[in-house]
Amino acid sequence: MIVRDDMTFPFAEYQRRIDELRGRMQKRLLDAIVISDPENLMYLTDYQTTGYSFFQALVIPLDNEPFMITRKLEESNVYARTWVEITRPYPDTGDAIQMLVESLREFGLNGKHIGYERNSYFFPAYHQDSIHTTFTDGRLLDCFGIVEQGRITKSPVEIEIMRKAAHATEAGMKAGFEACVAGATENEIGAAISAGMFQAGGETPAVMPYVTSGPRTMIGHATWEGRVVQPGEHVFLEVGGCYRRYHTAMMRTVVLGDMTDTFYKAQEKMKLALQRLKEIMRPGLTVSDADNLVRAIITDNDIGGSLITRSGYSIGIAFPPSWDEGYIISLKQGISTVLEEGMTFHIIPWMWGVEGDKTMGISDTLYVTENGCESFFTLDKDFVVKPEYGA
Amino acid sequence: MIVRDDMTFPFAEYQRRIDELRGRMQKRLLDAIVISDPENLMYLTDYQTTGYSFFQALVIPLDNEPFMITRKLEESNVYARTWVEITRPYPDTGDAIQMLVESLREFGLNGKHIGYERNSYFFPAYHQDSIHTTFTDGRLLDCFGIVEQGRITKSPVEIEIMRKAAHATEAGMKAGFEACVAGATENEIGAAISAGMFQAGGETPAVMPYVTSGPRTMIGHATWEGRVVQPGEHVFLEVGGCYRRYHTAMMRTVVLGDMTDTFYKAQEKMKLALQRLKEIMRPGLTVSDADNLVRAIITDNDIGGSLITRSGYSIGIAFPPSWDEGYIISLKQGISTVLEEGMTFHIIPWMWGVEGDKTMGISDTLYVTENGCESFFTLDKDFVVKPEYGA
């Protein structure tokens, strides 16, 4: 490891992460592991690039120096960002898996027990087939999740970095509130949120903001596609700000008109769910219990809204296409995972289909503390009501 | 198929795509195919969502009505956007592959030959394992690329949609030129480009713009991370505008100071490569020949720059994390694919390491016509020189 002081976190943080990972490798009798998931590469080495649809991997032997396989173009990211000393790049006319297998042999890992992330999105099946048919003098074992076991709780320095992401999230959301006016296109609102996030120090998030208005709020995971916002409509906004690949996310709702009884009921339900959860969320509670509390409050309504998804998910390091760490923890029934200090969640007590044709949301990103939990945000949760844009 | 007139393309375009796909299925003796790649789903049905890290697939039987497996939240995208009549959604507490296998049985596809995209990023190994162990009464065969065979050339209506993406690309790049001043942060430049693209009708691209300055131009696939641009430096910009998931991309270079001999030589080399390629690119030329022409011109330089990647790639429908269709065609040696009318390429005669520490680029997105090729852009290719920001 090259000791350097210009990484996202102090060097000791990376040493701790690698040491703990090697402890887990030892327990699982692995001589080395091949890590290909972009979030896990970032977590272990501070490496990042958008070019991860080309194969790349960090090989971590139990006892020797780690080394990295990258596309030639991405090797510069190893030098510019990481503690990694040894790289084995492959050219665009070369074969990534051949380079991986040759490197495993070069560093004496043939004949050994090698873990790899079988379920990694960016270690696709053809590449897995290829390593299985060429690396025949060792044993390949699934170690999917071995790095995520470290990522499940965030250290104090990670919480601090997430505050910078939260600053970008709030700046983007405030710019969005301003831009929500009748006659604007959803694109113009998206432009304002994007500029707001980036000017406030935000980096490119794993997912760009969600902006939908009126009937389009009923389309799951949609964002701006040119629609002009009409007087009297509401606008659904969801913004995930990013800093050094760490994210915090937030939903808010803007009403271009008067606050109706229905809007008020929805707002109060969602605020209540967030408030009650914040009161009880602490180390020791199970994920199922947290989900149950939010789900029960939202489901008990007379305005037609329903919570058709999980009620929250772990959030932290993310690359496109998703800012969530739901594969680490999702808040849904049947999950007995116990909350621990340092876990971070985007809690989403949203309502789909209010009055049959409106979706709205208020959400929060929380971190679990020693005795309770805290929000990353200070922005008011109430719907932003603009009666001057009424129908 | 539900006939409707509110999709991205006329209904006949989707009918043609499905009919041609069924022709290819028949040739390959497949009774049905399971398509899970987000770009391919968009191509066939106009379906899109950012939520594709959750399993989703369109099942196309040779003779019967297609049906779609989605996460419950995403089902709304099927209704809002597509011609698909039958959906089988699964809840967040359910099992996607169980729903897929049950649906295959429900529609009489057990015992049949079923194609699936073995190399699809978002049909990860655990899910592939699961279908192999549960769908035991049929035969599963790899059909990766069967949809891409249709996507390899773009129809006239696709070229028209790509013009709208090009309009967003140019608007973003122009806003970037304005924002490139000494003392600005790379983030502020990124904010300006983003807002420019989106205000001009652009949608969220598969990759956000690349903005690097001075020494950071040497980091592959990096973008803004807070650096303040210094007087006398150059700024590398690469923007991929998006409309209805279709992309066009463009690199440009801004010089905050005087045009030096080196900058001039780099500019002229890159312009020459683009001009010569544009003169000879036409149906019948091989991809290797096109790459060779660009590579030879760029490589023959006395300023230290090198072309360390392929010299271009197919571009069109894209979802994060990459805007390229390089898995369909990349411009590199050894590829004997013959150019055809309707192919679209981002041509990137860029130079890495000019004077040892500068990367710069000028690129173009071209489409192959009946007898030659055309650019999607009209923006001037020369470096943007701002001597007033010299050191």
Side-chain angles (χ1 to χ4, degrees):
Chain A
M1 294 171 80
I2 298 168
V3 179
R4 55 195 287 178
D5 61 3
D6 60 346
M7 295 170 76
T8 300
F9 300 111
F11 190 73
E13 174 79 3
Y14 298 99
Q15 274 182 312
R16 176 185 69 77
R17 293 173 180 186
I18 295 288
D19 289 348
E20 289 176 5
L21 176 63
R22 281 185 165 139
R24 294 192 291 275
M25 287 166 60
Q26 209 155 21
K27 274 193 193 163
R28 291 165 71 164
L29 311 176
L30 295 167
D31 300 306
I33 56 175
V34 177
I35 298 302
S36 54
D37 178 80
E39 286 84 5
N40 290 344
L41 292 176
M42 171 85 195
Y43 175 77
L44 295 173
T45 70
D46 216 20
Y47 172 90
Q48 63 160 297
T49 171
T50 62
Y52 48 91
S53 45
F54 286 79
F55 181 79
Q56 52 190 22
L58 178 72
V59 181
I60 306 163
L62 192 57
D63 302 309
N64 290 310
E65 196 61 28
F67 57 92
M68 200 151 174
I69 314 297
T70 66
R71 185 184 176 200
K72 175 72 187 160
L73 171 59
E74 315 299 347
E75 190 187 25
S76 47
N77 283 287
V78 181
Y79 298 135
R81 303 176 187 279
T82 81
W83 51 256
V84 177
E85 294 188 52
I86 309 168
T87 64
R88 289 294 178 271
Y90 60 91
D92 279 9
T93 48
D95 183 304
I97 301 302
Q98 185 182 326
M99 184 57 78
L100 171 63
V101 171
E102 279 173 13
S103 305
L104 289 172
R105 293 205 178 103
E106 176 187 352
F107 292 102
L109 294 167
N110 43 327
K112 304 289 187 181
H113 286 201
I114 311 290
Y116 74 105
E117 298 171 294
R118 179 146 177 77
N119 216 32
S120 173
Y121 290 121
F122 300 101
F123 192 6
Y126 280 8
H127 279 157
Q128 294 198 16
D129 292 348
S130 178
I131 188 173
H132 275 280
T133 53
T134 57
F135 188 68
T136 50
D137 51 353
R139 188 152 173 224
L140 294 164
L141 297 153
D142 183 15
C143 72
F144 183 71
I146 198 167
V147 179
E148 285 83 349
Q149 281 179 270
R151 288 173 50 204
I152 197 166
T153 57
K154 276 73 180 171
S155 65
V157 288
E158 287 178 287
I159 299 289
E160 282 311 305
I161 286 288
M162 287 179 74
R163 286 190 208 287
K164 297 198 180 185
H167 176 68
T169 306
E170 290 200 324
M173 190 58 88
K174 283 181 200 164
F177 290 164
E178 286 289 313
C180 280
V181 297
T185 63
E186 290 173 356
N187 293 46
E188 286 163 354
I189 300 166
I193 297 173
S194 305
M197 286 197 297
F198 302 148
Q199 282 161 0
E203 293 162 16
T204 60
V207 195
M208 288 292 288
Y210 294 99
V211 176
T212 52
S213 58
R216 289 190 79 246
T217 61
M218 295 295 287
I219 310 177
H221 281 141
T223 191
W224 65 83
E225 288 172 69
R227 185 175 188 273
V228 176
V229 183
Q230 301 300 314
E233 290 185 340
H234 75 297
V235 185
F236 172 86
L237 302 176
E238 186 174 1
V239 177
C242 174
Y243 185 78
R244 298 295 185 266
R245 307 309 325 145
Y246 283 81
H247 293 69
T248 62
M250 179 196 279
M251 295 176 179
R252 289 290 187 272
T253 303
V254 180
V255 180
L256 300 180
D258 294 316
M259 187 75 154
T260 64
D261 281 355
T262 304
F263 280 131
Y264 183 76
K265 282 182 179 179
Q267 171 191 288
E268 292 304 305
K269 275 278 169 194
M270 297 190 278
K271 280 170 61 187
L272 181 67
L274 288 174
Q275 185 197 314
R276 285 281 163 80
L277 183 67
K278 210 174 160 205
E279 285 162 11
I280 100 165
M281 202 165 182
R282 61 178 197 286
L285 193 74
T286 68
V287 162
S288 276
D289 285 340
D291 173 69
N292 198 45
L293 182 139
V294 173
R295 192 170 302 281
I297 292 173
I298 296 297
T299 303
D300 173 29
N301 76 75
D302 60 1
I303 53 177
S306 56
L307 178 53
I308 58 168
T309 58
R310 55 189 176 172
S311 66
Y313 46 80
S314 179
I315 189 166
I317 305 176
F319 285 82
S322 180
W323 65 46
D324 81 279
E325 296 179 333
Y327 51 95
I328 302 183
I329 311 178
S330 278
L331 267 65
K332 55 187 182 181
Q333 289 307 295
I335 308 294
S336 60
T337 309
V338 174
L339 299 187
E340 291 175 51
E341 184 179 352
M343 286 181 175
T344 44
F345 294 101
H346 184 209
I347 305 294
I348 53 170
W350 63 303
M351 295 178 112
W352 188 79
V354 173
E355 294 181 330
D357 63 356
K358 294 177 192 68
T359 291
M360 46 197 73
I362 305 173
S363 75
D364 202 355
T365 300
L366 301 174
Y367 59 98
V368 179
T369 61
E370 193 185 343
N371 303 309
C373 70
E374 293 290 336
S375 173
F376 282 102
F377 302 125
T378 59
L379 196 67
D380 195 59
K381 291 187 177 63
D382 282 346
F383 287 5
V384 173
V385 182
K386 298 188 168 185
E388 66 273 28
Y389 294 104
Chain B
M1 295 172 78
I2 298 169
V3 179
R4 55 195 288 178
D5 60 4
D6 59 347
M7 296 171 75
T8 300
F9 300 111
F11 189 73
E13 174 79 2
Y14 298 99
Q15 273 183 313
R16 177 186 68 77
R17 293 174 180 185
I18 294 288
D19 288 348
E20 289 176 5
L21 176 63
R22 282 186 164 139
R24 295 192 291 273
M25 287 166 60
Q26 207 155 22
K27 276 192 192 163
R28 291 166 71 165
L29 311 176
L30 295 167
D31 299 307
I33 56 175
V34 177
I35 298 303
S36 53
D37 178 80
E39 285 84 4
N40 290 344
L41 291 176
M42 171 84 195
Y43 176 77
L44 294 173
T45 70
D46 216 19
Y47 172 90
Q48 63 160 297
T49 172
T50 62
Y52 48 91
S53 46
F54 286 79
F55 182 79
Q56 53 189 21
L58 178 72
V59 181
I60 307 163
L62 193 56
D63 302 310
N64 290 311
E65 197 61 27
F67 55 93
M68 200 153 175
I69 314 297
T70 66
R71 185 183 176 202
K72 175 72 186 163
L73 172 58
E74 316 301 345
E75 190 188 26
S76 47
N77 283 286
V78 181
Y79 297 134
R81 302 176 188 278
T82 80
W83 51 257
V84 176
E85 298 194 52
I86 309 169
T87 64
R88 289 293 178 271
Y90 60 90
D92 280 8
T93 49
D95 183 302
I97 301 303
Q98 186 183 327
M99 184 57 78
L100 170 62
V101 171
E102 278 173 14
S103 306
L104 289 172
R105 292 205 178 105
E106 176 187 353
F107 293 102
L109 294 167
N110 44 326
K112 303 289 186 180
H113 286 203
I114 310 290
Y116 73 106
E117 297 171 295
R118 179 146 178 79
N119 216 32
S120 173
Y121 290 121
F122 300 101
F123 190 7
Y126 280 7
H127 278 157
Q128 294 198 15
D129 292 348
S130 177
I131 188 175
H132 275 280
T133 53
T134 56
F135 188 69
T136 50
D137 51 352
R139 188 153 173 223
L140 293 164
L141 297 154
D142 182 15
C143 72
F144 183 72
I146 199 167
V147 179
E148 285 83 349
Q149 282 180 271
R151 288 173 49 204
I152 197 166
T153 57
K154 276 72 180 170
S155 65
V157 289
E158 288 179 286
I159 299 290
E160 282 310 306
I161 285 289
M162 288 179 72
R163 284 190 208 288
K164 297 198 180 184
H167 176 67
T169 307
E170 292 200 323
M173 189 59 88
K174 284 181 200 164
F177 290 164
E178 286 288 315
C180 281
V181 297
T185 63
E186 290 173 357
N187 293 45
E188 287 162 353
I189 300 166
I193 297 173
S194 304
M197 285 196 297
F198 303 149
Q199 281 160 359
E203 293 162 15
T204 61
V207 196
M208 289 292 288
Y210 294 99
V211 177
T212 53
S213 59
R216 289 191 79 247
T217 60
M218 295 295 287
I219 311 177
H221 282 141
T223 191
W224 63 84
E225 288 172 68
R227 184 175 189 275
V228 176
V229 183
Q230 302 300 314
E233 290 185 341
H234 75 298
V235 185
F236 171 86
L237 302 176
E238 186 173 1
V239 178
C242 175
Y243 185 78
R244 298 293 184 269
R245 305 308 326 144
Y246 282 82
H247 293 70
T248 62
M250 179 197 278
M251 295 175 178
R252 288 291 186 273
T253 303
V254 179
V255 181
L256 299 181
D258 294 317
M259 187 75 153
T260 65
D261 281 355
T262 304
F263 279 132
Y264 184 75
K265 281 182 178 177
Q267 172 190 289
E268 293 303 305
K269 275 278 169 192
M270 296 190 280
K271 281 168 61 186
L272 181 67
L274 288 173
Q275 185 196 315
R276 285 282 163 80
L277 183 67
K278 209 172 160 206
E279 285 162 12
I280 95 164
M281 201 165 181
R282 63 179 195 285
L285 193 75
T286 69
V287 161
S288 277
D289 285 340
D291 173 70
N292 197 47
L293 181 139
V294 173
R295 191 169 302 279
I297 292 173
I298 296 297
T299 303
D300 174 29
N301 75 75
D302 61 1
I303 53 176
S306 57
L307 178 54
I308 59 168
T309 57
R310 56 191 174 168
S311 66
Y313 45 81
S314 180
I315 189 166
I317 304 176
F319 285 82
S322 179
W323 65 44
D324 80 278
E325 296 178 333
Y327 51 95
I328 302 183
I329 312 179
S330 278
L331 266 64
K332 56 186 181 182
Q333 290 306 295
I335 308 295
S336 60
T337 308
V338 175
L339 300 187
E340 291 176 52
E341 183 178 352
M343 287 183 175
T344 46
F345 294 101
H346 184 210
I347 305 295
I348 53 170
W350 63 302
M351 294 178 112
W352 189 81
V354 172
E355 293 180 331
D357 63 355
K358 295 176 191 70
T359 291
M360 45 198 73
I362 305 173
S363 75
D364 202 355
T365 301
L366 302 174
Y367 59 99
V368 179
T369 61
E370 192 184 346
N371 303 308
C373 70
E374 293 290 335
S375 172
F376 282 101
F377 302 126
T378 59
L379 196 67
D380 195 57
K381 291 188 175 63
D382 282 346
F383 288 4
V384 173
V385 182
K386 297 188 167 184
E388 65 273 27
Y389 293 104

